[in-house]
Amino acid sequence: MSVQAAANPDALVSPDEIRAQFSRAMSAMYQAEVPLYGTLLALVGEVNRAALAREPQLAEQLRTTGEIGRLDMERHGAIRLGTAAELATMRRLFAVMGMQPVGYYDLASAGVPVHSTAFRATHEAALQHSPFRVFTSLLRLELIENVELRELARGILARRNIFTPRALQLIERAEAAGGLTAAEAEEFVQQALETFRWHREATVSAALYQQLSAQHKLIADVVAFKGPHINHLTPRTLDIDAVQAGMPGRGINPKAVIEGPPPRRCPILLRQTSFKALQEPVTFVEADGGGALGSHTARFGEIEQRGVALTPKGRALYDQLLEATRAIAGGAPNEEGAAAYMATLSQQFEAFPDDYPSLRRQQLAYFRYFVTEQGLAAKGRGELAANLEGLLAAGHVRCEPLVYEDFLPVSAAGIFQSNLGDNARDSYGQSANREAFEHDLGAPVLDELALYAETQQRSLAQCAEALGLAALA
């Protein structure tokens, strides 16, 4: 508890601070549950320190943007929910931590029977305080083809309650009071953590688990357990290729292909890899009241490298090049064709500019703008250029890439599939249903591209104000 909170115990804690506390608690819990996660954190820390020492320009970029302070604490988690009621309440729980649903992701088209959003902070200042985000998927029960099994799954999910009574009380308290006190926030974090904890006791028999798993392993992962155990927690690295190469030496078995764009001098969007899912012991509930021992494979370790956020024009080019790669490679990458796929990917992405000035000039990516010391000095002398390009050329304003805070549906599906070991389905052949998702969520999802545009524009407005100029564009 802070000195300020101790002096005024009725003062409300900021949602950003509650989110930071929750992120730390989640990381500690997951490390206790999945020891390899601790090994992974140590490897990522070593790789990041080496990257900063090797690339002083990168270190300066991260200091300018403020990302250097969030690098070690950066995490994203992922959960899978079973019902609309769970999704709507989860939205309220994350709102206590200042996290909003951003983006809609259809994974059914890639053979994973869910659709998703990412809960995260939306303002750059809040993201610097804690960039914790949770990729949250909702099972699409209508995609279970066996009608009897579908209704059985629906009934099982309807009977469970994934939130503690006290967590629900504290959510209501936060909504009514506009926040939580320090003591309430501490209790909220502990109560909310229970929703994400791993429980080795299943809620179904071994036979029913096998039926669900035969439909899709992710369906079994959602339906057969007491709640949405966190199935991975992801640190951010500055050199994902070095982490991928270093995992086998730490006893970690990585997936064959890094998802996302190829290696670049100027990283774009998101690259992700993971270690293979763990086989964890499970006790199934049998009709005679006894328990049958078995295992479940779903939780894994993931690593990400975040690059610059792309504009609509940049995303269109990215999607075009990725689609061309998969057309040539004959679909998603697999272990046998990993090298050929990566070679094709790199070749196709030669069409995507790989320097920040070109990305900015061609309006392919978003940037943040900062006034320099030279700019403030020039203002005092009345020697400022009147437009953004002139200010940049004179060194009075500098720009830095705006980090991508979100996810990629194709990459997410690739990570899920590789860890669920499901080769039976390429697609459910059903279109995205954002309207149904938002109905279940109880709110619209925010447009991530609009958020990036707003952040870029805010930085330009701050530069204009600092330099005493009219609006910059």
Side-chain angles (χ1 to χ4, degrees):
M1 185 181 294
S2 68
V3 174
Q4 183 180 5
N8 183 7
D10 294 327
L12 300 181
V13 179
S14 76
D16 293 342
E17 181 53 33
I18 300 175
R19 183 172 67 258
Q21 290 178 24
F22 185 79
S23 177
R24 290 192 294 269
M26 178 81 86
S27 188
M29 181 186 78
Y30 194 69
Q31 186 165 340
E33 292 180 347
V34 182
L36 270 182
Y37 170 68
T39 305
L40 187 66
L41 290 182
L43 174 60
V44 168
E46 290 177 18
V47 168
N48 286 352
R49 287 189 291 275
L52 291 171
R54 184 176 67 245
E55 302 179 58
Q57 187 175 358
L58 173 61
E60 177 61 24
Q61 172 191 312
L62 295 177
R63 279 192 290 271
T64 299
T65 61
E67 289 174 69
I68 195 75
R70 70 183 242 190
L71 186 60
D72 288 342
M73 65 178 174
E74 183 143 357
R75 301 286 185 273
H76 96 245
I79 58 171
R80 301 156 183 169
L81 303 174
T83 69
E86 290 176 357
L87 181 64
T89 305
M90 192 63 74
R91 173 181 58 80
R92 295 169 60 211
L93 181 144
F94 283 135
V96 176
M97 297 184 255
M99 300 164 72
Q100 303 299 319
V102 179
Y104 172 78
Y105 303 88
D106 169 37
L107 273 63
S109 62
V112 182
V114 299
H115 47 186
S116 316
T117 191
F119 287 95
R120 66 170 178 87
T122 58
H123 192 285
E124 57 273 18
L127 286 161
Q128 303 299 50
H129 191 94
S130 173
F132 181 63
R133 51 182 88 76
V134 180
F135 190 79
T136 302
S137 301
L138 177 65
L139 177 63
R140 299 182 68 174
L141 284 169
E142 73 275 13
L143 298 182
I144 299 178
E145 294 165 340
N146 183 317
V147 177
E148 182 180 352
L149 189 63
R150 182 196 314 152
E151 293 311 309
L152 193 58
R154 195 186 305 277
I156 293 168
L157 291 169
R159 290 192 296 271
R160 76 177 186 178
N161 188 352
I162 66 174
F163 305 98
T164 70
R166 184 57 177 155
L168 295 172
Q169 290 174 357
L170 288 167
I171 292 171
E172 291 175 359
R173 162 69 180 163
E175 291 170 344
L180 298 175
T181 66
E184 290 169 338
E186 185 176 346
E187 186 181 10
F188 170 81
V189 167
Q190 293 308 312
Q191 292 292 321
L193 210 59
E194 292 303 311
T195 295
F196 304 92
R197 192 179 299 281
W198 166 252
H199 298 281
R200 62 170 292 174
E201 301 83 13
T203 58
V204 301
S205 68
L208 181 51
Y209 173 85
Q210 291 301 329
Q211 282 185 272
L212 294 166
S213 187
Q215 283 285 305
H216 197 292
K217 286 188 177 181
L218 185 142
I219 296 173
D221 185 56
V222 175
V223 177
F225 293 90
K226 295 179 179 179
H229 38 256
I230 190 82
N231 61 62
H232 62 265
L233 204 57
T234 305
R236 178 182 171 188
T237 183
L238 300 174
D239 186 349
I240 199 167
D241 298 286
V243 173
Q244 178 90 341
M247 280 198 281
R250 303 296 178 97
I252 303 173
N253 183 22
K255 72 186 297 293
V257 176
I258 296 173
E259 300 284 347
R264 293 166 48 88
R265 291 190 303 274
C266 301
I268 58 173
L269 295 176
L270 178 68
R271 301 182 72 209
Q272 296 174 286
T273 189
S274 65
F275 64 72
K276 297 297 179 69
L278 308 173
Q279 190 172 77
E280 299 180 274
V282 172
T283 302
F284 296 104
V285 181
E286 299 305 318
D288 61 4
L293 296 180
S295 64
H296 176 64
T297 306
R299 303 201 305 160
F300 53 92
E302 187 175 286
I303 314 94
E304 64 188 19
Q305 180 175 357
R306 293 188 171 271
V308 64
L310 300 184
T311 62
K313 180 182 176 182
R315 273 304 292 267
L317 179 56
Y318 171 83
D319 291 341
Q320 173 191 326
L321 297 176
L322 184 63
E323 186 176 337
T325 299
R326 296 202 164 199
I328 294 169
N334 55 41
E335 198 154 348
E336 294 73 26
Y341 176 86
M342 291 305 296
T344 302
L345 185 70
S346 295
Q347 183 180 32
Q348 289 298 311
F349 269 80
E350 289 175 3
F352 206 115
D354 197 11
D355 63 276
Y356 290 126
S358 295
L359 292 174
R360 190 186 67 83
R361 283 194 300 267
Q362 296 181 38
Q363 297 183 337
L364 294 170
Y366 290 107
F367 291 83
R368 288 176 69 193
Y369 295 85
F370 303 87
V371 172
T372 64
E373 291 184 7
Q374 300 101 295
L376 293 175
K379 175 190 175 184
R381 298 192 301 269
E383 297 175 353
L384 290 173
N387 58 71
L388 178 60
E389 295 305 319
L391 292 168
L392 288 166
H396 298 157
V397 167
R398 65 181 293 182
C399 66
E400 298 292 355
L402 178 56
V403 65
Y404 185 65
E405 305 285 355
D406 296 289
F407 298 93
L408 300 170
V410 171
S411 296
I415 292 280
F416 279 16
Q417 290 284 31
S418 68
N419 282 288
L420 292 166
D422 181 70
N423 299 315
R425 197 113 204 184
D426 293 325
S427 171
Y428 277 88
Q430 183 159 332
S431 61
N433 197 338
R434 176 171 175 162
E435 183 178 349
F437 184 85
E438 291 182 329
H439 177 270
D440 292 343
L441 181 68
V445 298
L446 302 179
D447 179 355
E448 65 272 27
L449 295 181
L451 294 175
Y452 295 122
E454 289 167 9
T455 296
Q456 178 174 279
Q457 191 54 45
R458 269 194 298 270
S459 72
L460 287 167
Q462 289 162 359
C463 288
E465 182 179 2
L467 295 175
L469 298 173
L472 296 171

